[in-house]
Amino acid sequence: MGTNNKGLLFPRIPLVSRTSTTPLPANIPTGTFVFNTATAGSFPNLISPGIYWWSSEDQQWTSLSTNFETATLKYTNSETSTNYNSTSWQNVKLFGNKIYNETSHIYTVNTAAQTLTIKRQGLYSISSLLSFDRLSSGSSSMVSLTSRIFVNGLPAGTEQVFSPEETASVNGNRGLFSHSFTEYLQLNAGDIISIRIKKTDGTFSSGYGDADVRFHASGDSSIAVLRIR
């Protein structure tokens, strides 16, 4: 049935945050639509007036104006005990604190494996900031590490070597340093992404020691992913 003088009026609700159902009940079903009348919350959970639908899976409201073609994700580390100055590749533990994930229809995080599954084909920008604490000095203080993105367990993009020499001194037995990068990769639905680190092999490893290298503090290291198209 068509009409030229009628429309659909959604319930008008003053929401308080992108991740809260208040003032509605906590257990509303996926697909609940409202017209939000408020500007509330703070980034990344800021919400402004408009039509939204609730996802129980994502535990958040999604605006009908959101462009999932360019959805973003950001996580930071929550643990600081892993030693990354080892001879074997290991997944960097960046998926600790969720800053935002615009949609689980594109991004699914496995916090146990420290991996990200891409669920829609496209061109992606993957950026990471790694902030480290070298825990010992003396003859073992010089370190050289290699980082790389892996896709489905296979190396992708550019292998990056960073050798901070003695590192920035904090006191007699510590030093701080960081490494950042951005890669652009064409990914397929189902691809599993991880960032891995190990001690540098070959020419660049000569003369470098075995000092423990761990994340400096919770929230200091991050991964951000953007689907470009």
Side-chain angles (χ1 to χ4, degrees), residues 97-113:
N97 308 307
K98 185 175 79 169
I99 307 305
Y100 50 82
N101 179 358
E102 287 197 295
T103 173
S104 60
H105 296 290
I106 293 182
Y107 305 114
T108 298
V109 171
N110 185 328
T111 55

Side-chain angles (χ1 to χ4, degrees), residues 108-178:
T108 298
V109 171
N110 185 328
T111 55
Q114 291 293 302
T115 60
L116 169 67
T117 300
I118 301 296
K119 300 171 75 174
R120 182 174 296 183
Q121 182 182 34
L123 176 65
Y124 288 81
S125 167
I126 303 174
S127 300
S128 185
L129 171 63
L130 308 174
S131 180
F132 294 107
D133 191 349
R134 173 187 50 77
L135 298 185
S136 62
S137 58
S139 60
S140 295
S141 64
M142 297 175 66
V143 295
S144 182
L145 302 175
T146 298
S147 67
R148 192 161 193 175
I149 294 175
F150 278 66
V151 179
N152 301 324
L154 300 175
T158 305
E159 183 171 327
Q160 304 153 61
V161 174
F162 49 108
S163 303
E165 297 289 337
E166 298 290 344
T167 75
S169 178
V170 175
N171 54 41
N173 61 1
R174 295 176 59 197
L176 306 180
F177 63 98
S178 61

Side-chain angles (χ1 to χ4, degrees), residues 164-214:
E165 297 289 337
E166 298 290 344
T167 75
S169 178
V170 175
N171 54 41
N173 61 1
R174 295 176 59 197
L176 306 180
F177 63 98
S178 61
H179 174 67
S180 62
F181 66 87
T182 298
E183 290 274 10
Y184 297 89
L185 297 176
Q186 180 70 34
L187 300 173
N188 297 311
D191 280 349
I192 299 174
I193 311 303
S194 62
I195 296 176
R196 299 186 183 182
I197 288 183
K198 69 172 182 176
K199 181 195 295 285
T200 305
D201 292 330
T203 302
F204 297 100
S205 64
S206 178
Y208 290 93
D210 299 320
D212 276 14
V213 176
R214 308 178 185 182

